[in-house]
Every structure is written in structure tokens, then in C-alpha cells.
């Protein structure tokens, strides 16, 4: 259903592939920026979600434009959503336990893996 | 044959070994009881074999033959004949006595008795296996427990002695393995079967080389002069049970190898090497006896007397005469009993006096009359007093060797007879210093003779007297198989 | 009927077993029991005389085992010689048992003494009843064992233990030769049975060398057992044993076994003139040699021991000359009077507590029975007319004279002179003169000891008449000879008889002059011939010579062998071991420097680079991410450049 709707949208409003790609690139950059600049672990986690979302948009977009009948990109997206959900769960759990141990989630203070 | 009695006999001690190991730590003291029960069971089975054995038939009996490793013709092949029967029986008896004499051992008893049982399996296996590979496996299996028995429970120089024992004999047996492999490839029938290999087609020249390789393996075990030096050390340092089995059985493996393998499989080489072997044997007789005269440690003295007595055995074997070889087998059996008994008694005396130095002993005839009497009895048996078993072995060997019509062998007999005189000399001198005269040791209060001590010695006394008075039963069993083996 | 003969040796074995198990609890009963057993043996032995006399020799055999074509048969045979030996052994043994009840009564191992005596009696019976050499050898060794045990009976004394060992070893040397002799006979004949061996030896195709060799080898055994020169050294030392043992074993029976062996093998020996010559020369030399030593000994038992050696030599040279009957007859008479002398000396020792004759004296009044019987025994030994010794000794001398063997005759006469002299020296010193030292407390021995003495005194006289009766031509000499199983022509002669008697009387006279109550003369004389005296007193230094030329070198050799074994043979083994260790050290060094060096270099490089690279590990997640993104970005840029410019 939604695929059909999507196709109509694309066809009727002349939406090009690179629109999606630009959106996704912007999202990706925001995510990278967040990951690199934020100090708080939770924020970093959220930024990672953004990066994932950017990837998902790319998947769906390519799938719809290049090979609409296979739906491979859609399936991958669903996988990524699931993996992202797990990742968030585990990530939050790790953050929580780090917080318990060190009373902080500031990443610059968590450097026990330093040589 | 409804069941494989020989396999049961050989592997029964292994079962005992498993039970011994499985004992909980708290019940470690029970290990000796388990060992005793299983060794006695082997004696019962051995007695059954003795009675069920067809004494008129000299060939292999109770034969078991199964494929083992098919590709290279290795079989699981067991059998017993008149040559191995007495020694198998003796092995079982001496194992029981070995357990009994170790009754008071308190250092790691579980391991001790487990190793003793393993040793028994190895020894029995050597004497009943008819396949070279099986034979070799058992042959090597014997080394391991003996190494530990000497190395862990021995006296002060035990580490040196055990390593010397292990490496020396391993050296010989590896050469023997090479010999076995050459036999396999040169025989023309590609077989490891000792019985089939008597019909081999090895060229005389090759035989000589193989014989030399096998000789190294066997002669070190016997041990023949000049390959004997591991023996005094090993005997002196080993615990009593170890000495008993070492002298009683392990030394016989070498002589048994000559009779079972070298002579029938390499007949040509045996003939060409026989004079050399008899010269070495006679040197061993005199040499060992002379060395005995000046020993200061009783155990070491008896060890050298073994060199001398095994010289007689080798002289009989080297004469290649059925009577003499029969005598050799009988002497192997007798020497096992007598020297075993001597070591048992010395062990018991050592338990009480804590010394084995002849200079410190003395006056035991008054201090412990029982042991003094037993020591005198065993010594007289050892010096070949007629009426006790030692006489018949020596007599048949000398007589059989004498029958070889050559002057060479007669001269050998003349020298060997002198060895008997020397034998009387060192044993009587030892007796005189140990049981007569005055006691000079440190310990003054001695433990009383216990029932275990008496039970340990009685079977050997009975055997020694019985064979001394009535040797013909034993001799006929052995002679039947020997004449079959030599083919005369 | 003849089968009963096997009972004779079995009876003492039975006694041995019973005593072995119960003797310790009931020592007194055991001693009586064993004595009774020997009494039964005496009766059976006497029966054997009549059976042999009426039925002739007989044999019982049983195959013991067979090896190839040689069968080893065990059996008993009895002929006249056996019957005689049986009687000698059983009678002396019985009397010694009886005597020992008194003599040993306060010994702590009383019962054991009888145990050994039983074993000895059984073995000795077995020895004389054997019908083949092998069995004879077995019992021969067994009596040797008993001798060992009994000489060393008081083993607390070092001298006794030494003597026992010496006795066993010395005889064992002879036995080794004997064993080879038996091998030679057995191997050539195919049987060790006396009859077969003799038939074989008498056969036409047998080489003289074989017979001579085997006879001389057998004689080696006899030399050892009968204490002939040069193996005589053990017998004087054997006097360390209790006196009844000396009487039984070392005077009457076991030492006579050697003579018996030669007598038994006489058909073999007589085939070889050389062997006979050897026997005669050894015997004659021993006779005079031991007699000279006996003169100077001060220990009463040592005198008797040398006298025994001398008399055994007498028997040997009689046999060697071919005087078979005379030799065996002398064995018989000697057994009784020598046992008597030993038991008599035992009685004296028992009473005085010393063995040194110089400490005794004047005992005649205190111990009449002992003294009289001892004198009778001495007269018999000295060959005084009307005693048994007179007949048997003069019979030997007569033979030598008749056969024109004057050298042997002269040696025999001189020996007889010495014998009379040294025995009467003992008599005069011990029984007459003034008591010295401990003699004061001496008393007559109990009846259980004197009765055997009396019986033996009778036996020292009576058999002489038996002999005379047998020998005299009127009473059928043939019967006697056939009874003993061997033929020989041995008439009596008057001249040697007279010479012997006169010489004996001369010996007694000289002893009387020198020793009867006048010890001062004794000293003068011995000063005059002091060097000779010293040589004799030290037994010609034979023991020292043996010690120097045999025992010392042997021990040196043994010492050398032991060192050789430790240093050379074992040293070689250890050298191989050390060589291996050195070689492995070298390998070890090579391993550490070269092989392991490469490995370590690799590891070092890895370590150093790791040390540098680890600085990248900041621990700061953000910087990791930055690097990661940077890397990705570089990669993407690279791809872009590649796509744009290369495509």
C-alpha cells in the first residue's frame, strides 16, 4: 500500500532521488557532528540514531528508485530499525551501568581504556 | 574355551588399578586391600591355568587371536606354554608377596599399589603375548611403574637409580624395536607373529645384525656383563616390593626374550653368537661372585649375586641344548623365588634395624632368630644346596652345557663350577657377618615378627622345598615346550 | 623284605619333622624321642647285614626324571659295604644322641641340637644307601650342610662361626671337582648308577684318560670331605663344634664318607693305575703329615682331629695300594674307637671346663670310667695287640709289606709310631701326674654319658675279632670278600705285625719317659728342637700360606673387580651419560643463541612497534570516532577521486 502511494507521489510531484539523498546527507552530518561534539553519552547515542536514520532513508530511497519491485531496501530498513532498537537498549544499559560506577556520563572522563 | 582366561589374567590387575584410583582420599588405606584381593585373584586364575594346562602338550595353549590393526598384520595374540607358565605363575605369586611386604607403606599408598598392579599387568603381558608389537608394548609398560616405584619410594639415591634404570633399559628396548621392524620387513611374510616368524627366510648375514639388536634389548634386561651396572643401583635403591619384582620377574624378561624370540626366529645367528654369549655369561658368573665378596650393602650384594646367577641362565641358553635351556627356565623360576625371598627378608630386617650395611648388622641369630633362620635358608637355597630348588636349575644347566660335545663348552662348565664355590663363599661370609657375631646397629628395640611377615615368606619356602625334592613335575612341563621350540 | 631299607633314612626325617614342630616346647621329650628313633635304625641296620648276607646285594630304584636320553633315577642299594656303613653310622649316631642328652643338657638350644643330629643321620643314611652318584652328591652336600650347622652351633663365638664357614667352603672346593667328575661319568655312561658306570668303565672302548680323569675328580670330593692334604685345614677348626658332633661327624661318619666314596668307586679307581697312585700318595702323605702336627698340639680335641686326619690318610693309602678290604675294615674300627676318644675327651672337657691338656692332670682317680675307656680307645688307635685297631692297621701294613710297597710300609710304620706317641702323651698328661688348675673340681660324668663310652670301648675291641674271624683262612676268607663285593688277595703277615707292635710300644715308652709326671724334661726337649716344634705347632703354617696365596689375592681380585665395576664399567655408562649431558649443553647453547635468538628478535620487533602504536589508544571515545570518520572520509574521497579521474 504505502509503496504504491509512494510511487504515486514520486510520479505526480516529480520528486527526484537526490532530494532524499540530500536529506539523508544532512541528517548524517548532523549525526556525525553530534557524535563528535557532544560529551554526554546519551546525546552521542541519540546522534548515532540519527546516522542510522540517514542510512535508512538512503536504503528506502534507493530501493524505491532503482528496483521498486524487489523491496529489498525496505526489508533492510526494518532490520536496521530492529538492530537500532536493540542497540539503544544495550547502549542505554551500558550507559546506566557506567553512570552507576562513575557517577557521570561525560565521555571525556571515561578513558579507562587508555594505554 | 568358553572365555579368554589369559586376557582376564592380564587385565585383572588393571581393574584393580581403576578401583584403587577411584578410592576416595579418606579411604586411601584400603588401597592395599584392593591390591591384595586382585593379586590373589590372579594367583587363583594362574593356578587354574596351571591345572588346566595340558602338560603332555608342549605347544601354545589357551590361545587367543584377534585382529587388532589389520593394515600392518598386528594381532592381539596371547598364548601360554611350558616356558612361560612357570614364570607367569611366579609373577602372580610374587605380586601378592610384593603387596604383603608393602603392607605398612604410608607414603602415597594409593599410587604405590596402583603402580604395583600396573607393573603386574605389564609383566604378565610380556610373558603371554605372541605378537611382537603387543610384546613390545607390554615390555615398555613395565618400565614406567618401576621407574616411579624406584623414584618415589626408593632410598636416598633413588633419583639417580631410577633414571639410570629407565634410560638404560629404554636404550636397549629401542634397539630391540628396530630389530623387530627389520624382522618384519625381511621375514618375507610381513608378520609380527612370533609363531609364524619361526618359518622366516631371513638371510644368515641379516640375522646376525638383527640378533645383535635384539641382544642389546635382552642382555641389558638380563642383565649380562658388561651391561649390568644399572642393576645394583636399581636394586639397592628400590623399595622392597620393587626389588623383589625386579629380581624375580623383570630380569627374567630378558632371558625369556632370548628363549622365545632370538633362538627360534634367528636360529643361524644364535649358533654363531652362542660362544660369545657363553663367554660373557661365564665372565658374569665369576665377575658377579667376586664383586659380591666385597660389597658392604646386603642388597647390593644380592644384586651382584643376581648377575652371577643370571650368568648361569645365560650359559644354559647359549649352549642351545634342550636340557640346558630347560635348566635355564627352571633356574629363572628358582632364582625368582630365592632372590625374591632374600630381598623380602632383607627388607623386613631393614624395616627393623634401619640399616643394610653388613658392618652394622650382626648377631641377628639372637636378636631376631626367625629372620636369621629364613636368611640362612634362602642363602643355602641360593648357593645351590641339593634338596632345595636352586640346585636343580644349576645342575641341569651345567649338565646340559656339558653335553655339548665341544671342549669349549666343557671348559665353560669347569669355570662355572668354580663360580658355584665362590657363590658359597660370598653367601656364607655374608651370613656369618649378618646373623652371627655381634649386633652393632643403632636401633635396639625391634618390632616382633608379625603374621604378615610369616605369611609372606611361607609360599616361597614351600615352593623352594617342593621343587628341591620333586623337580620332575616342573621339569617335564618346561622340557616339553623347550624341545618343541628348539625343534629337537 | 628288602624294601624295608628305605625306612632307615626316612625314620630320622620323621624325627626331624616332629622335632622341628614340637622340639622347642618339649626339648627333653624330643631328645629321648630322637634317640629312640636312632635305636630303631640300629636294629634295622643290623637286620640289613643278615639280609645282605643271605640274599646278596639288592637295589630299589625309581625314575625321578628324564631329560633327553639321560634318565635320572633315584634309588637305594644295599650290599656288604652299605650294610657296614649303615651299622657304623647308626650305632655311633645312636650313642652320640644318648651321650648328648647328658652333654648338652644345659644348652639353650638343646632341642635344635637334636634337630640337626636327626637331619645329619638321615642324610648320612641316604648317602651310604645311594645307588648312584647324583643322589650320593645330593646327600653329600646335605651332610656338609649339617656339618656347617653343627660346627657353628655355638655361633656366638666368632671362632665357631668362622670354622663352620671354613669347613663348608673348603669341602665345597673338593665338591666342585667331584661334580665335574660325576658329569664326566654321567655324560659318557648315560647313567649315574654305580653298576652302569662300573660296567661302562670296564668296557673295552673306554679311554684310560677318561677313567683317570673322572676318578681323580671324584677323589677331589673325597679329599675335601675326608680332610686330606691339601684340603685338611677345615677339620681341626671344626673342633669348635660341640664334642658329640666332633665324635659323630668329624671322626666317625661324615669324614669317612670320602673314604667310602673311594671304596664305593673302587672298581673305577682300580682300572686306573695313575688314580690309585694319586690316592695312595695323598693318603700316605696326609697320614704322616697330620701325625707330626698332632704331636705338638695342646688342645685335646685338636690332637684327636689331627689324629683323625692321619687315620683317614691311612685308609686312603690302603685303598690306593689296592687293599680294599683292609681300608674299609680300618674305617669300621676307626669309627668306633675315634668316636670313643672324642666322647671321652668330651667327658673330660665337661668335667674340667677346658680343652687345654696342660691345664688337666691326675684325672684318672676322679673319672675312672672315662679314663679306662679312653685308654682302651687310645690302645686301639695305637694298634695295641688284641684291640680292633691292631687288626685293621696291621692288616694295612701287612698288605703294603706283602706287595713290596716298602715306601708305604715305612710311612705307615712311622705314622704308627707317632700315633702311639702323641696319644700316650695325651693320656699321661691328662690322666696322670698332678692335677693343675681346674682339675680339682672334676667329677665323673653322668651315666647317660658313660654308658656310650663303655659300649664304644667294647666296640673298639670286638670288631677286631670279627675281622680276625673273617680274615683268618680257616673261617672262609672268600665269604668276607664276597660280602664286601670286591675281590682281593690280602693275607696276614707276621713280620710287619711284629714291627708295628714294637714301634707302637716304642712310642708309648718315649711318651712315658717324656711326659709321665715330669714336665721339666718336656721343656728341655722342646727347647732343643724348638724350630721344629714351632713349625709343627703352627701346623706347617698351611693356613697362613693359604691365606697368603689364595684368600688374600682372591679378596684383592674381588676388591679390584668391584672397583673396576664402579669405575670402568659403570664409569663407562656414566661417561656416556655425561657425554650426552655435555652434548646437550652445546645444543642448548646453540638453541639459545641461534634458534631462539631469531624467535626473540621477532618478538622484540613486535614489542617495540606495539610500544609505539599503543599511544594511539587515548581512551577517549570521541577521538576514536573522529579517527574513524576521518578514515571513512579519506576513503570516500579516495573513491571519488578514483571514480572521477580514472574512469
Amino acid at each position: 500500500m504505502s509503496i504504491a502511494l509512494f510511487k504515486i507521489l514520486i510520479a505526480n510531484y516529480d520528486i527526484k532521488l537526490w532530494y532524499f539523498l540530500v536529506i539523508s546527507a544532512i541528517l548524517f552530518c548532523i549525526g556525525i557532528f553530534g557524535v563528535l561534539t557532544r560529551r554526554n553519552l546519551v546525546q552521542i547515542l541519540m546522534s548515532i540514531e540519527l546516522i542510522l536514520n540517514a542510512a535508512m532513508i538512503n536504503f528506502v530511497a534507493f530501493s524505491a528508485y532503482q528496483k521498486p519491485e524487489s523491496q529489498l531496501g525496505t526489508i533492510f530498513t526494518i532490520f536496521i530499525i530492529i538492530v537500532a532498537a536493540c542497540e539503544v537498549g544495550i547502549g542505554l544499559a551500558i550507559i546506566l551501568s557506567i553512570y552507576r560506577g562513575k557517577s557521570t556520563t561525560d565521555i571525556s572522563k571515561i578513558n579507562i581504556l587508555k594505554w | 574355551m568358553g572365555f579368554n582366561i589369559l586376557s582376564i589374567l592380564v587385565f585383572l590387575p588393571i581393574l584393580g588399578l581403576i578401583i584403587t584410583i577411584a578410592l576416595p582420599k579418606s579411604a586411601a588405606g584400603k588401597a592395599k586391600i584392593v591390591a591384595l584381593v586382585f593379586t590373589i585373584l590372579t594367583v587363583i586364575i594362574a593356578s587354574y591355568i596351571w591345572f588346566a594346562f595340558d602338560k603332555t602338550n608342549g605347544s601354545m595353549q589357551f590361545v587367543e587371536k584377534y585382529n587388532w590393526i589389520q593394515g600392518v598384520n598386528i594381532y592381539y595374540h596371547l598364548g601360554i606354554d611350558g616356558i612361560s607358565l612357570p614364570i607367569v605363575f611366579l609373577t602372580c605369586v610374587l605380586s601378592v608377596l610384593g603387596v604383603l611386604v608393602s603392607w605398612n607403606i604410608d607414603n602415597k599408598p594409593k599410587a604405590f599399589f596402583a603402580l604395583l598392579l600396573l607393573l603386574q599387568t605389564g609383566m604378565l603381558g610380556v610373558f603371554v603375548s605372541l605378537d611382537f608389537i603387543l610384546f613390545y608394548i607390554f615390555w615398555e609398560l613395565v618400565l614406567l611403574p618401576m621407574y616411579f616405584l624406584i623414584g618415589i619410594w626408593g632410598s636416598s639415591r633413588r633419583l639417580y637409580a631410577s633414571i639410570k634404570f629407565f634410560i638404560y633399559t629404554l636404550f636397549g628396548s629401542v634397539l630391540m624395536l628396530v630389530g623387530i621392524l627389520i624382522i618384519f620387513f625381511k621375514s618375507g611374510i610381513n608378520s609380527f607373529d612370533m609363531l609364524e616368524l619361526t618359518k622366516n627366510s631371513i638371510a644368515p648375514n641379516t640375522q646376525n645384525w638383527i640378533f645383535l639388536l635384539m641382544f642389546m634389548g635382552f642382555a641389558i634386561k638380563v642383565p649380562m656383563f658388561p651391561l649390568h651396572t644399572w642393576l645394583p643401583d636399581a636394586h639397592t635403591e628400590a623399595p622392597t616390593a620393587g626389588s623383589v619384582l625386579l629380581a624375580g620377574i623383570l630380569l627374567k624378561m630378558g632371558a625369556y626374550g632370548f628363549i622365545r624370540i632370538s633362538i627360534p626366529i634367528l636360529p643361524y645367528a644364535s649358533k654363531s653368537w652362542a660362544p660369545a654369549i657363553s663367554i660373557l655369561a661365564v665372565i658374569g658368573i665369576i665377575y658377579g661372585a667376586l664383586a659380591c665378596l666385597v660389597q658392604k650393602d646386603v642388597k647390593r650384594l644380592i644384586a651382584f649375586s643376581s648377575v652371577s646367577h643370571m650368568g648361569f641362565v645365560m650359559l644354559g641358553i647359549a649352549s642351545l641344548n634342550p636340557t640346558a635351556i630347560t635348566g635355564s627356565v627352571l633356574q629363572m623360576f628358582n632364582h625368582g623365588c630365592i632372590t625374591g625371598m632374600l630381598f623380602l627378608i632383607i627388607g623386613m630386617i631393614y624395616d627393623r634395624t634401619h640399616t643394610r650395611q653388613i658392618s652394622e648388622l650382626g648377631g641377628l641369630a639372637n636378636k631376631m632368630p626367625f629372620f636369621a633362620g629364613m636368611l640362612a635358608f634362602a642363602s643355602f637355597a641360593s648357593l645351590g644346596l641339593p634338596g632345595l630348588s636352586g640346585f636343580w636349575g644349576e645342575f641341569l644347566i651345567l649338565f646340559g652345557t656339558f653335553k655339548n660335545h665341544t671342549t669349549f663348552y666343557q671348559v665353560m662348565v669347569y669355570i662355572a663350577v668354580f663360580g658355584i664355590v665362590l657363590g658359597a663363599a660370598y653367601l656364607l661370609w655374608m651370613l656369618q657377618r649378618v646373623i652371627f657375631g655381634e649386633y652393632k646397629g643403632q636401633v635396639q628395640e625391634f618390632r616382633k615378627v608379625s603374621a604378615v611377615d610369616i605369611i609372606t615368606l611361607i609360599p616361597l619356602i614351600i615352593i623352594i622345598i617342593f621343587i628341591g625334592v620333586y623337580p620332575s613335575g616342573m621339569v617335564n612341563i618346561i622340557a616339553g615346550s623347550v624341545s618343541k621350540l628348539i625343534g629337537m | 623284605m628288602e624294601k624295608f631299607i628305605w625306612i632307615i633314612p626316612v625314620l630320622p626325617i620323621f624325627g626331624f619333622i616332629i622335632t622341628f614342630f614340637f622340639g622347642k616346647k618339649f626339648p627333653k621329650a624330643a631328645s629321648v624321642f630322637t634317640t629312640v628313633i636312632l635305636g630303631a635304625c640300629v636294629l634295622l641296620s643290623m637286620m640289613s647285614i643278615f639280609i645282605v648276607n643271605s640274599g646278596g646285594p639288592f637295589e630299589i630304584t625309581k625314575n625321578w626324571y628324564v631329560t633327553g636320553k639321560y634318565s635320572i633315577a633315584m634309588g637305594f642299594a644295599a650290599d656288604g659295604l652299605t650294610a657296614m656303613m649303615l651299622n657304623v653310622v647308626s650305632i655311633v649316631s645312636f650313642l652320640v644322641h644318648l651321650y648328648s642328652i647328658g652333654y648338652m643338657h644345659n644348652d639353650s638350644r638343646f632341642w635344635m641340637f637334636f634337630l640337626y643330629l636327626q637331619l645329619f643321620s638321615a642324610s648320612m643314611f641316604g648317602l651310604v644307601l645311594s645307588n648312584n652318584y647324583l643322589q650320593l652328591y645330593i646327600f653329600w652336600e646335605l651332610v656338609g650342610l649339617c656339618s656347617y650347622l653343627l660346627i657353628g652351633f655355638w655361633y656366638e663365638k666368632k671362632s665357631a662361626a668362622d670354622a663352620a664357614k671354613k669347613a663348608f667352603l673348603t669341602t665345597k672346593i673338593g665338591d666342585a671337582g667331584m661334580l665335574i667328575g660325576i658329569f664326566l661319568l654321567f655324560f659318557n655312561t648315560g647313567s649315574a648308577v654305580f653298576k652302569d658306570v662300573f660296567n661302562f668303565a670296564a668296557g673295552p672302548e673306554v679311554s684310560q684318560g677318561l677313567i683317570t680323569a673322572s676318578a681323580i675328580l671324584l677323589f677331589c670330593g673325597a679329599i675335601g670331605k675326608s680332610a686330606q692334604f691339601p684340603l685338611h685345614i677345615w677339620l681341626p677348626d671344626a673342633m669348635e663344634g660341640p664334642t658329640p658332633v666332633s665324635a659323630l661327624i668329624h671322626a666317625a661318619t661324615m669324614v669317612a664318607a670320602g673314604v667310602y666314596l673311594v671304596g664305593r668307586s673302587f672298581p673305577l679307581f682300580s682300572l686306573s693305575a695313575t688314580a690309585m697312585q694319586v690316592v695312595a700318595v695323598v693318603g700316605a702323605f696326609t697320614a704322616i703329615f697330620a701325625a707330626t702336627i698332632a704331636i705338638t698340639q695342646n688342645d685335646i680335641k685338636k690332637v684327636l682331629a689331627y689324629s683323625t686326619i692321619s687315620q683317614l690318610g691311612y685308609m686312603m693309602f690302603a685303598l690306593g695300594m689296592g687293599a680294599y678290604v683292609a681300608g674299609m675294615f680300618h674305617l669300621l674300627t676307626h669309627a668306633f674307637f675315634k668316636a670313643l676318644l672324642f666322647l671321652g675327651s668330651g667327658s673330660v672337657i665337661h668335667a674340667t671346663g677346658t680343652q687345654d691338656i696342660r691345664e688337666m692332670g691326675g684325672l684318672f682317680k676322679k673319672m675312672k670310667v672315662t679314663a679306662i675307656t679312653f685308654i682302651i680307645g687310645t690302645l686301639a688307635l695305637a694298634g695295641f695287640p688284641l684291640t680292633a685297631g691292631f687288626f685293621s692297621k696291621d692288616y694295612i701294613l701287612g698288605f703294603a709289606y706283602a706287595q713290596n710297597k716298602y715306601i708305604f710300609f715305612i710311612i705307615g710304620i712311622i705314622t704308627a709310631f707317632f700315633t702311639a706317641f702323641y696319644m700316650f702323651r695325651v693320656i699321661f698328661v691328662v690322666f696322670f701326674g698332678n692335677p693343675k688348675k681346674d682339675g680339682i673340681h672334676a667329677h665323673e660324668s653322668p651315666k647317660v654319658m658313660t654308658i656310650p663310652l663303655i659300649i664304644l670301648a667294647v666296640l673298639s675291641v670286638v670288631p677286631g675279632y670279627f675281622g680276625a674271624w673273617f680274615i683268618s683262612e680257616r673261617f672262609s676268607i672268600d665269604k668276607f670278600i664276597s660280602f664286601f663285593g670286591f675281590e682281593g688277595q690280602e693275607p696276614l703277615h707276621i713280620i710287619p705285625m711284629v714291627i708295628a707292635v714294637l714301634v707302637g710300644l716304642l712310642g708309648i715308652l718315649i711318651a712315658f719317659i717324656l711326659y709321665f709326671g715330669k714336665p721339666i724334661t718336656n721343656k728341655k726337649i722342646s727347647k732343643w728342637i724348638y724350630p721344629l716344634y714351632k713349625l709343627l705347632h703352627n701346623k706347617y703354617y698351611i693356613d697362613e700360606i693359604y691365606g697368603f696365596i689364595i684368600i688374600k689375592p682372591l679378596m684383592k681380585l674381588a676388591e679390584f673387580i668391584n672397583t673396576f665395576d664402579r669405575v670402568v664399567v659403570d664409569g663407562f655408562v656414566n661417561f656416556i651419560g655425561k657425554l650426552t649431558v655435555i652434548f646437550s649443553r652445546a645444543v642448548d647453547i646453540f638453541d639459545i643463541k641461534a634458534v631462539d635468538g631469531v624467535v626473540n628478535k621477532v618478538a622484540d620487533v613486535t614489542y617495540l612497534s606495539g610500544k609505539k602504536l599503543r599511544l594511539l589508544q587515548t581512551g577517549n571515545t570521541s577521538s576514536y570516532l573522529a579517527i574513524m570518520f576521518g578514515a571513512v572520509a579519506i576513503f570516500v574521497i579516495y573513491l571519488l577521486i578514483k571514480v572521477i579521474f580514472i574512469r
Side-chain angles (χ1 to χ4, degrees), chain C residues 461-480:
Chain C
V461 177
V462 172
Y465 297 97
F466 267 103
W469 170 66
F470 272 129
I471 291 157
S472 72
E473 282 176 54
R474 279 186 301 157
F475 289 97
S476 109
I477 185 166
D478 301 332
K479 193 175 176 188
F480 179 71

Side-chain angles (χ1 to χ4, degrees), chain B residues 160 164 168 226 228-229 287 290 295 304 365-366 380 386 392 395 403 414 417 425 428-429 432 436 469 472, chain C residues 64-65 70 134 138 141-142 145 148 155 162 165 168-169 176 180 555 557-558 562 564-565 569-570 573-574:
Chain B
Y160 171 72
K164 192 175 185 181
Y168 212 142
H228 64 274
T229 51
Y287 184 93
L290 282 174
Q295 292 308 317
F304 271 109
N366 287 335
F380 275 104
W392 291 110
F395 174 78
K403 279 200 310 194
Y414 297 149
V417 167
L428 289 184
W429 201 31
Q432 189 206 357
F436 300 143
V469 177
S472 73
Chain C
W64 205 352
Y65 65 76
Y70 300 86
L134 185 61
I138 292 172
E141 288 292 305
L142 282 177
L145 168 73
Y148 172 83
Y155 51 74
D162 280 341
K165 185 191 72 183
F168 196 89
L169 285 183
I180 294 174
M555 290 311 289
L557 181 65
N562 191 37
F564 177 76
D565 193 63
V569 182
D570 202 28
V573 174
N574 283 334

Side-chain angles (χ1 to χ4, degrees), chain C residues 128-422:
Chain C
V128 297
L129 279 169
S130 298
N131 75 337
N132 64 73
Y133 280 112
L134 185 61
Q135 193 180 342
L136 182 123
Y137 180 77
I138 292 172
F139 287 113
W140 184 272
E141 288 292 305
L142 282 177
V143 291
L145 168 73
C146 297
S147 159
Y148 172 83
L149 293 172
L150 284 164
I151 295 171
F153 190 73
W154 289 322
Y155 51 74
E156 295 91 342
K157 272 198 298 183
K158 188 171 183 310
S159 56
D162 280 341
K165 185 191 72 183
K166 188 175 179 183
F168 196 89
L169 285 183
T170 315
T171 50
K172 190 89 187 171
I173 292 169
D175 296 350
M178 180 179 166
L179 188 63
I180 294 174
I182 292 173
F183 278 155
L184 270 178
L185 290 172
F186 193 178
F187 155 68
N188 283 303
T189 316
S191 161
V193 179
F194 296 135
K195 265 192 323 202
D196 301 344
V197 171
F198 301 151
N199 286 339
F200 167 80
E205 75 281 10
V206 188
S207 78
Q208 191 66 27
L210 173 70
I211 292 174
T212 307
S214 49
I216 289 176
L217 284 167
L218 285 181
F219 184 57
C220 285
I223 287 178
K225 220 36 145 204
S226 289
Q228 299 295 292
F229 182 83
L231 297 180
H232 65 280
I233 48 166
W234 65 271
L235 189 57
D237 288 20
M239 295 302 131
E240 291 291 342
T243 307
V245 170
S246 309
L248 175 60
I249 299 185
H250 305 121
T253 55
M254 189 190 84
V255 289
V259 182
Y260 168 79
L261 174 69
V262 178
R264 176 53 79 198
S265 314
F266 200 70
L268 181 73
F269 279 81
S270 60
L271 289 172
S272 162
T274 322
M276 291 293 268
Q277 202 67 31
V278 169
V279 175
V281 169
V282 169
F285 181 75
T286 310
I288 191 160
F289 167 83
T292 53
I293 299 177
I295 295 172
T296 57
Q297 296 303 309
N298 289 324
D299 182 324
I300 184 166
K301 285 180 76 180
K302 287 259 164 82
V303 175
L304 291 175
Y306 280 107
S307 157
T308 306
I309 296 173
S310 166
Q311 294 301 310
L312 290 167
Y314 234 89
M315 297 172 210
M316 283 295 184
F317 93 75
L319 289 174
M321 289 187 303
Y324 173 79
V325 176
M328 295 330 265
F329 185 41
H330 195 55
L331 192 163
L332 171 77
T333 56
H334 172 259
F336 292 129
F337 60 66
K338 193 47 75 59
L340 166 64
L341 288 172
F342 267 109
L343 293 184
S345 74
S347 180
V348 170
I349 294 164
H350 193 67
T352 60
T354 176
Q355 300 195 6
D356 194 329
I357 54 172
R358 289 168 301 187
E359 296 177 6
M360 303 171 183
L363 290 177
F364 187 81
K365 284 166 225 150
K366 285 171 182 146
M367 340 181 38
K368 282 237 161 53
V369 182
T370 305
I372 290 169
T373 51
F374 197 92
I375 290 167
I376 291 173
T378 306
L379 288 172
L381 177 56
F384 197 76
L386 307 180
T387 59
F390 165 75
F391 292 102
S392 58
K393 186 180 274 182
D394 292 342
Y395 201 30
I396 294 173
L397 293 174
F399 188 89
Y401 181 80
Q403 300 279 314
N404 298 329
K405 298 187 170 165
Y406 293 113
I407 297 167
F408 291 121
F409 177 70
I410 291 165
I411 291 174
I413 290 289
I414 295 171
T415 308
F417 165 72
F418 283 140
T419 309
F421 174 69
Y422 66 69

